[in-house]
Amino acid sequence: MVSSNDFFDNKKRELGVSLNNIQQEAVITNNGPLLLLASPGSGKTTTLIMKIGYLIEVIGVVPSRIKAVTFSRASANDMKERFKRFFPNLPMVEFSIIHSLAFQVVREYFAKQRIEYQLIEGNNNFTSQNNHIQQRQLNKKQIIRNIYKSLNGEPATEDQLEELITFISFIKNKLLPESKWALVPINVPKKELIVKEYENYKKYGTGKLLLDYDDMLTIANEVLEKDNAILFRYQTLFDYVLTDESQDTSFVQHSIIQKLVDKHKNLCVVADEDQSIYSWRGAEPQYLLDFRSIYPDAKILMMLQNYRSSKDIVDIANVFIKQNKKRYEKNMFTSNPQYKPIKFKALTEYKTQSVYLVNQILKLEDLAEVAILYRNNSSAILLIDSFDKANIPFYMKDSDNRFFTHWVVQDILNFMRLSYDFSRIDVFETIYSKFNAYIKKSQFEELKKFYTNQPLTKESVFDNLLSLVKLEDYQIEKVKKFKDSYNKIKTASPKSVMQIIRNELGYESSLEFICKSKGYNLEYALEIVNTLEIISESTNTMIEFANRIKYLDSLMKSSKFNKGENAVTFSTLHSSKGLEFETVFMIDLIEGIIPSTSKSEKSDEKSKILEEELLNLEEEMEEEVRLFYVGMTRAKLNLELVTYFKRFDKKVKLSEFFKQVQNLVTPVEAPQPKPKKVFSKQEPKNKFIFNSNTIQDRTLLKVGMFVKHILFGQGEIISCNSEVLEIRFESEIKKFQVSVCLKHGYIEKLE
């Protein structure tokens, strides 16, 4: 065995790893529950690996008695690799995701109860039967797809299917009773009945129990609650349990871990409530805030030193996150020097954004150190188009984007296909209900009979519709207009064709009806059409346009092979967590995207909603702040925030987060409104949460007073007039605008 000092000295000498005082305290604190709050870039994984090594080399714990749990396979693999590198001579510790641990419990219980089961996710053929008989292929998505169709009379879209899967996962991870399912805000028809049918099918539909990944968690939790023998075995299997990324842990996952450590309480939870961004998956950041009530003897340590980012980025991000109420009071800091202030770019319109980014990135050499972060995957489409034209390689982290297979894209392509052969009844069948003529299914079936009897006919579907099918007068007029429009399409440019489809053929009006009646997202559907129209501008024929769409889809999917190469990373903000880059662009920073709903809109709703719903809205806004904070803290040296004033010819509002950060970097005095004749008392709309010591009255600022500035720390006021405040800090003297400091609560009085 080695001493603590020898352990740290050896690792510094062997690996060049030197831990700060808080990190060392975290490593040597191993009796009882420990909550380690780790700010972005604070070296949490290094500290966690060193802690495991310390348990083995210094305390003498057998490696098999240590369980390290994380919540993604990528993270578990990263921890394994780092442990091998740090401690090549030690036996491997068990690193796994929570689902793997839960499945061990489930398998043991089912074997004990002789229950046959089969997984319907991952490896479909894995069952409790250890034989060579080929099992019937069962797939979670297909089961849900079949149930949706049987209950709703039509196929589910891929978006609806994903929403249902997320919904099922959410209610299970939250352990929500059936009485609360209706409160979960997803717009899928008969969602609750679909879930009931899905659960019934898994239990009784095939003669054996079917399991999805979420079942592993809920069943494991039930087993540990009801089967004392299995509970005791797992409680005595590990002496130390460590969990990473615990801000992403759901209620049922916390419950499982809590049961496992109930005897010895040797639990180390590594987390950061400021980076909890997965509530839609059931994550429970409140668990971290309640840690001491769950474990009264818990020790809480805060790793707040950021080793990743420049002082310019760390200081601003630290202030930005403080507007949230549900968090620990802490201050992220860095010893890194200043590099460059955060940059801001407000463009005229959305479609110039990708061109602007191309021009900026062409100036850079190390593309692997560049990332473009956005809220929604749809933001990547014009990036892919522009980067391909500029011959800039990229890696898209979420390359399973379904944009090009969306039903709206297929509709547009089918409208175009019909123009090459007006007799294509098969193509017409896919879009006849999307012309703004309200052609009934019975009318189409009447038309289809003619083509069935005369399959070689080359007559136009429009001519046959007019001559063979009984139509209403208004339908006749519309079909004639559609025929005329299609004659124009033959010689029109792809962009003109897009406009004809949208307007003259009535597709945009039909979209409104379809989305309203089926609960689809109209805004997203129109965004797809608008994006396709922009792509069409650089093509000359419809065939060229269709080939371009096919090519971009292929390019997006193949971009996964650029991982680790000299390529720019495209990523959603959610998927960027855990990553870091020298240069980061955060784009599409407008109201409605990030934040998804503005504070003013939420304030307007306050009088109309129940207290519980209001609480949910506030929690939603806090998560929006956290998501933006995660994006900011991915940058090491250069951070640029990009916004615009128009999106698809529609005026938009700049993100309030964009404006907040801009005002932190360069405080500007807001213009004073003209006095009105009628005054009403209103609470000031402060952008940050003020504590009781915040100074908001000019008369309270006195020369010689010691104060704390939210960004620069403690200092002494050395001069003050009606406009300018001068403060001497430890290393420098700074001047501030008095009105800005008072308005935003930047100055606190020191007791």
Side-chain angles (χ1 to χ4, degrees):
M1 297 297 167
V2 296
S3 68
S4 295
N5 289 337
D6 289 341
F7 175 81
F8 293 119
D9 289 342
N10 290 343
K11 291 306 155 191
K12 183 176 181 180
R13 184 176 62 255
E14 295 167 6
L15 302 169
V17 174
S18 180
L19 302 188
N20 62 36
N21 292 337
I22 293 294
Q23 290 172 327
Q24 288 189 24
E25 187 177 356
V27 167
I28 66 176
T29 302
N30 293 297
N31 292 324
L34 168 66
L35 175 58
L36 183 57
L37 296 170
S39 291
S42 60
K44 70 175 181 62
T45 305
T46 295
T47 304
L48 195 57
I49 296 300
M50 289 284 280
K51 184 178 182 69
I52 293 170
Y54 182 91
L55 285 170
I56 300 168
E57 290 192 346
V58 179
I59 297 181
V61 179
V62 177
S64 61
R65 307 289 298 172
I66 301 171
K67 179 66 175 176
V69 179
T70 187
F71 300 95
S72 74
R73 288 185 177 86
S75 180
N77 290 334
D78 177 54
M79 292 171 73
K80 285 179 185 176
E81 290 302 315
R82 204 173 303 200
F83 183 81
K84 284 181 189 175
R85 192 167 75 248
F86 279 28
F87 304 98
N89 300 320
L90 293 182
M92 179 53 64
V93 169
E94 189 174 335
F95 295 92
S96 71
I97 60 173
I98 185 69
H99 290 80
S100 176
L101 173 62
F103 193 40
Q104 290 179 40
V105 175
V106 170
R107 279 187 305 189
E108 184 169 331
Y109 176 75
F110 283 168
K112 181 178 176 181
Q113 299 294 325
R114 297 185 178 180
I115 296 173
E116 290 189 32
Y117 61 92
Q118 181 176 343
L119 292 181
I120 55 174
E121 291 188 88
N123 182 1
N124 291 356
N125 294 328
F126 182 86
T127 73
S128 53
Q129 299 271 327
N130 187 17
N131 57 38
H132 300 291
I133 299 173
Q134 179 69 30
Q135 299 295 324
R136 183 159 64 97
Q137 293 291 305
L138 291 166
N139 177 274
K140 178 179 182 176
K141 280 191 175 183
Q142 191 57 51
I143 293 169
I144 297 172
R145 188 181 280 116
N146 293 342
I147 293 171
Y148 180 98
K149 187 174 182 180
S150 69
L151 292 175
N152 288 297
E154 61 183 5
T157 66
E158 286 300 312
D159 287 342
Q160 287 176 316
L161 192 61
E162 288 301 319
E163 277 199 89
L164 280 168
I165 289 171
T166 301
F167 173 56
I168 292 168
S169 184
F170 181 85
I171 62 179
K172 288 187 177 181
N173 275 273
K174 287 277 193 181
L175 295 178
L176 285 183
E178 188 179 323
S179 60
K180 291 193 175 182
W181 290 1
L183 300 177
V184 181
I186 74 159
N187 196 15
V188 175
K190 301 182 181 179
K191 64 183 181 184
E192 297 149 73
L193 188 54
I194 291 170
V195 176
K196 290 178 189 176
E197 289 291 320
Y198 172 65
E199 293 302 316
N200 284 334
Y201 182 82
K202 286 192 300 170
K203 289 178 182 177
Y204 311 114
T206 63
K208 64 165 62 75
L209 184 64
L210 304 181
L211 297 180
D212 62 27
Y213 288 147
D214 298 309
D215 292 328
M216 294 177 188
L217 299 174
T218 56
I219 295 173
N221 187 53
E222 288 177 15
V223 170
L224 294 175
E225 199 167 283
K226 297 175 182 178
D227 192 315
N228 290 329
I230 292 180
L231 174 62
F232 178 78
R233 197 180 93 70
Y234 278 88
Q235 284 180 333
T236 55
L237 194 59
F238 305 110
D239 296 324
Y240 294 89
V241 176
L242 306 94
T243 70
D244 190 21
E245 299 287 1
S246 296
Q247 72 277 353
D248 300 331
T249 311
S250 69
F251 182 80
V252 68
Q253 292 169 344
H254 285 307
S255 183
I256 290 169
I257 296 296
Q258 199 170 326
K259 291 178 177 68
L260 288 181
V261 303
D262 193 51
K263 293 291 184 186
H264 53 69
K265 299 288 196 304
N266 291 331
L267 171 66
C268 174
V269 170
V270 182
D272 182 12
E273 81 283 9
D274 288 335
Q275 297 185 76
S276 180
I277 56 175
Y278 291 113
S279 66
W280 48 277
R281 286 189 193 166
E284 289 277 357
Q286 187 63 40
Y287 171 87
L288 303 175
L289 301 176
D290 296 338
F291 197 77
R292 273 234 172 89
S293 64
I294 299 168
Y295 302 103
D297 299 327
K299 185 170 187 176
I300 298 178
L301 294 175
M302 298 185 185
M303 286 170 40
L304 304 178
Q305 184 168 359
N306 181 302
Y307 294 93
R308 173 188 299 156
S309 306
S310 69
K311 183 175 174 58
D312 311 84
I313 295 167
V314 170
D315 286 351
I316 298 298
N318 178 57
V319 177
F320 177 79
I321 194 62
K322 288 190 173 192
Q323 63 188 288
N324 277 359
K325 298 176 183 178
K326 292 188 174 182
R327 64 186 297 271
Y328 284 93
E329 184 61 38
K330 56 185 189 286
N331 279 295
M332 178 174 62
F333 69 96
T334 186
S335 295
N336 293 339
Q338 291 182 326
Y339 184 74
K340 288 180 182 176
I342 297 171
K343 291 177 66 177
F344 305 88
K345 186 67 176 180
L347 301 164
T348 305
E349 57 182 334
Y350 167 65
K351 70 179 182 179
T352 63
Q353 180 178 246
S354 58
V355 178
Y356 169 76
L357 292 166
V358 163
N359 291 333
Q360 296 303 108
I361 289 168
L362 284 172
K363 303 172 187 176
L364 307 175
E365 294 183 4
D366 191 357
L367 301 183
E369 281 292 337
V370 181
I372 300 176
L373 308 182
Y374 37 78
R375 176 62 176 274
N376 302 316
N377 265 319
S378 58
S379 296
I381 306 305
L382 292 186
L383 291 177
I384 294 169
D385 189 42
S386 295
F387 274 61
D388 173 61
K389 291 172 183 173
N391 200 29
I392 301 175
F394 65 89
Y395 157 63
M396 189 168 173
K397 198 166 189 299
D398 308 272
S399 57
D400 60 344
N401 191 326
R402 297 187 306 275
F403 179 91
F404 294 108
T405 57
H406 196 278
W407 57 272
V408 171
V409 177
Q410 299 310 307
D411 281 351
I412 295 295
L413 293 176
N414 281 328
F415 271 107
M416 292 181 173
R417 285 187 186 107
L418 188 61
S419 70
Y420 285 94
D421 185 351
F422 291 163
S423 68
R424 289 282 302 272
I425 188 68
D426 57 327
V427 175
F428 188 65
E429 184 172 13
T430 65
I431 54 174
Y432 77 88
S433 62
K434 288 151 186 187
F435 288 92
N436 190 22
Y438 301 104
I439 299 171
K440 299 174 184 178
K441 188 173 183 179
S442 59
Q443 292 172 321
F444 173 76
E445 290 299 329
E446 190 177 345
L447 175 67
K448 193 175 180 181
K449 284 180 185 177
F450 171 76
Y451 283 89
T452 304
N453 295 328
Q454 299 188 43
L456 299 179
T457 183
K458 291 297 181 182
E459 293 181 64
S460 160
V461 290
F462 298 112
D463 288 335
N464 285 329
L465 195 59
L466 290 167
S467 63
L468 301 174
V469 178
K470 184 177 180 180
L471 300 175
E472 302 292 339
D473 290 343
Y474 77 90
Q475 289 180 308
I476 293 171
E477 291 302 314
K478 282 185 175 290
V479 171
K480 287 179 179 179
K481 287 181 180 178
F482 294 159
K483 181 181 176 182
D484 291 340
S485 295
Y486 259 100
N487 287 327
K488 287 195 292 184
I489 282 177
K490 286 184 176 180
T491 57
S493 68
K495 181 175 181 180
S496 297
V497 171
M498 288 292 303
Q499 293 169 345
I500 291 170
I501 291 170
R502 299 177 71 165
N503 302 314
E504 294 183 28
L505 298 180
Y507 183 61
E508 201 155 308
S509 298
S510 293
L511 271 183
E512 292 181 23
F513 175 77
I514 292 167
C515 291
K516 184 176 181 180
S517 62
K518 296 188 176 182
Y520 298 163
N521 187 328
L522 175 61
E523 189 175 339
Y524 181 58
L526 291 173
E527 183 163 305
I528 292 174
V529 177
N530 285 319
T531 300
L532 292 176
E533 187 169 314
I534 291 173
I535 293 172
S536 74
E537 292 176 2
S538 62
T539 60
N540 298 310
T541 66
M542 284 184 284
I543 290 178
E544 186 182 335
F545 170 74
N547 287 338
R548 183 67 181 166
I549 295 300
K550 185 177 180 181
Y551 170 74
L552 291 177
D553 187 23
S554 172
L555 186 65
M556 176 175 65
K557 291 172 181 174
S558 64
S559 75
K560 63 185 178 183
F561 299 113
N562 287 335
K563 185 178 182 180
E565 302 297 323
N566 188 36
V568 177
T569 296
F570 296 168
S571 175
T572 62
L573 289 162
H574 283 97
S575 295
S576 72
K577 194 149 72 69
L579 304 179
E580 58 181 44
F581 305 89
E582 284 188 5
T583 299
V584 169
F585 296 89
M586 293 173 64
I587 67 170
D588 288 333
L589 304 184
I590 62 170
E591 297 288 317
I593 293 183
I594 180 131
S596 56
T597 308
S598 70
K599 286 184 180 178
S600 59
E601 286 179 26
K602 291 185 185 295
S603 297
D604 292 341
E605 295 176 31
K606 284 186 178 181
S607 60
K608 305 175 187 176
I609 58 180
L610 300 174
E611 186 175 347
E612 183 179 352
E613 291 175 316
L614 177 58
L615 183 61
N616 290 337
L617 287 173
E618 290 173 348
E619 289 176 352
E620 181 185 324
M621 178 54 79
E622 292 216 350
E623 182 152 328
E624 296 286 292
V625 172
R626 295 195 294 266
L627 184 60
F628 200 88
Y629 172 78
V630 165
M632 293 175 68
T633 53
R634 299 311 94 200
K636 293 191 279 189
L637 297 175
N638 304 295
L639 174 61
E640 183 165 348
L641 308 185
V642 184
T643 187
Y644 39 80
F645 296 99
K646 286 173 67 179
R647 185 177 177 88
F648 302 126
D649 297 323
K650 182 181 177 182
K651 287 185 179 180
V652 292
K653 294 181 180 179
L654 306 190
S655 166
E656 61 188 87
F657 296 163
F658 178 94
K659 293 185 284 187
Q660 283 179 11
V661 175
Q662 190 174 39
N663 197 41
L664 283 172
V665 174
T666 311
V668 177
E669 176 70 22
Q672 296 298 315
K674 295 179 180 179
K676 298 178 180 179
K677 293 181 179 180
V678 180
F679 294 91
S680 62
K681 292 184 179 180
Q682 294 182 348
E683 293 184 7
K685 294 182 179 178
N686 296 320
K687 293 189 182 296
F688 300 101
I689 307 302
F690 298 161
N691 63 36
S692 57
N693 289 329
T694 298
I695 299 175
Q696 299 177 59
D697 184 346
R698 160 70 184 84
T699 61
L700 298 178
L701 295 171
K702 307 290 185 183
V703 174
M705 176 188 289
F706 286 92
V707 294
K708 180 181 178 183
H709 188 276
I710 198 166
L711 195 59
F712 299 100
Q714 297 182 10
E716 180 186 0
I717 298 176
I718 57 176
S719 72
C720 182
N721 56 38
S722 61
E723 296 182 356
V724 179
L725 175 67
E726 196 169 14
I727 302 176
R728 179 192 293 117
F729 299 100
E730 184 176 351
S731 59
E732 58 187 333
I733 295 174
K734 288 276 189 181
K735 292 183 179 181
F736 306 95
Q737 289 184 333
V738 171
S739 56
V740 172
C741 289
L742 298 179
K743 178 181 177 182
H744 295 289
Y746 289 166
I747 301 294
E748 297 179 18
K749 180 181 178 181
L750 291 178
E751 297 294 341

